[in-house]
Amino acid sequence: MLIPFDRQVFNIVHLGIAFLVIFSADFTVTNMQKTINASIKQDKPWYNVDGYVSLGLVYLVYGIFLWLAPSVVALVGTKLALLIGAMGITIFMFSLTLEILYVTYIGIFLTGVGGSFLWVGEGHYVVLNSDPETMSRNVGLFWFLYSSSLIFGNLYAVFQLTGKTRIDYDTRHRLLYVLGSLGAIGCILLALLGPPKRHNSEIPIRHEGPVQALKKTWKIFRTKKILILLLTFIFGGFQQSFGGGIYPPSVGFTQEFGNKAKQLVPMCGLVYGLGDSIGGLVNMLLRKMRLKISKRSIVITGFILEAIAFCIIFINIPSDAVFGETSKTAIIKSNMWLALLSSFLIGIGDSCLNTQIFPLIAELHPQFSAHTCALYKFTKSVSMAIFFFCSNSLGLHLQLIILIVLGLIGTIAFVWVDYKESIGKTEKNNTDVTAT
C-alpha cells in the first residue's frame, strides 16, 4: 500500500476531505471575488465594494484574530474551533447573495475570524495525529486533499461561465448558493471529526489556558529562526494572494482573450489547484520512497518554477489588466495556454513551499504546534492583506518584479533555517550515540 490505512491516517483523510469541500467553495469565491464584485456594481452602482479591498480586509481580520486563535483552541478544543471557523466562512458566502453593503462587511469580518480558528485548529489537529516519523507524510496527504479543492469548485464555475462576457445576477446567485451549500456540508463533516490518535510520541500533548497560550505565542515569535522565516512567510502570502486572487481576474480583464476571458478566471484557479495537488502528491511519493531529498531542495525547485511563471506572465498579460477591463496588448500576443501554464507552475510552487514549511516549523517547536501555526498564518495573512490593498495601485508587471525579488530572499531564508536545523539534529544524534 502507498500509505498504511490506520486510525491516524483516517483522521487526516477525514480532515482533508472536510477542507476539500469547504475550500472548493471558498477558493472559488476568492478566485472570482474581483469579478463578482465588479458584476454586482454593474447592476447596483451603489455597491462600492472592491474585490481586492474586500479580500485584503478578510486577511487583515484573519491575521489579527490569529493571535487569539491558539487561546480559543485551548479554551474550546480543536474540534469545536474547527467547526466555528467553518461556519464563519460559510456565512460569508451566503451573505454575498444579499448584495447589501453592511451585510457584506459583516460577512468579511466573520470569514476572517472563522479562517483564523479553522487554520490554527487544523495545524494543531494534524500535529496531534502525527508522530515525528509520520509528520511529513501526513502534511503531504492533507495538502493533497486540501489543494484539490481548487479544482472542483472552479470546474463548476467554468461550466457556469461558458460563453459569458459578464456574470449576470442569476449566474452569480446560482454559483453562490451552490458554493455556500458546499460550505455547510463541510461544517457537518468537521462536526463528525474523530479524536486524535498517535502510535507513539516523543512530543507530549500540552494543555494550557488561553492566557498562557498567548504569552507562549509571543515568546516563540521573537526567536531567531522564526524571525528569519518571516521573510519566507511573507513571500508565501504574496504569491498566494497573487496566484489565487489577483492573477486570475487579471486574465479575465484582458479583452484580447475575447469571449473566453471570463471563463479563464475559474480555469486559472482550476489549474492552479491541479499544480498544488500534484505537488502534494509528489511530496507523499518522495516520502514513501524514502528518498533523501531535503526540504530546502524542494523549496528551491518550487521557487524556480514560480520564477518561470512570473516571467511568462510578464510578457503574456498587459500590466494594467490588474485594475480592470483593458484592451491593451501585452509584450506578446496574449495566449490562453501560456496563461494557464503560469497558474499551473505557481500552484506547484505554492505546494512545494507549504508542504515543507509545516514540517519545519513543527520541528522547531514541536510542543507548541498551535502557536507556530498561528505565527505562520498571521505573517502570511497580513502580507496577503497588504498585497491585496496595494494591487489597486501597483501595475501587474511591478508586482511580478516584487514577487521574484522577495521570492529569492524568502527562499534563501528558508534554506538557512532548514540547514541549521538539520545540522542541529545531526549533532544531537551523534551526541546520543556517543552517550550510549
Side-chain angles (χ1 to χ4, degrees), residues 313-339:
I313 295 169
F314 192 94
I315 63 173
N316 193 49
I317 305 295
S319 186
D320 64 346
V322 72
F323 304 126
E325 297 289 341
T326 180
S327 58
K328 292 185 178 180
T329 57
I331 295 174
I332 63 173
K333 181 177 175 58
S334 295
N335 183 281
M336 179 181 75
W337 300 110
L338 287 179

Side-chain angles (χ1 to χ4, degrees), residues 254-271:
T254 303
Q255 294 178 1
E256 194 169 4
F257 288 120
N259 60 6
K260 292 183 179 179
K262 294 297 177 284
Q263 192 178 15
L264 279 173
V265 178
M267 285 180 70
C268 284
L270 191 156
V271 295

Side-chain angles (χ1 to χ4, degrees), residues 15 23 67 89 97 132 159 205 215 233 236 302 331 346 376 413 429:
L15 181 70
F23 285 94
W67 284 99
I89 291 173
T97 63
F159 288 113
I205 298 176
K215 288 181 178 178
F233 298 168
I331 295 174
I346 295 173
Y376 167 52
N429 291 337

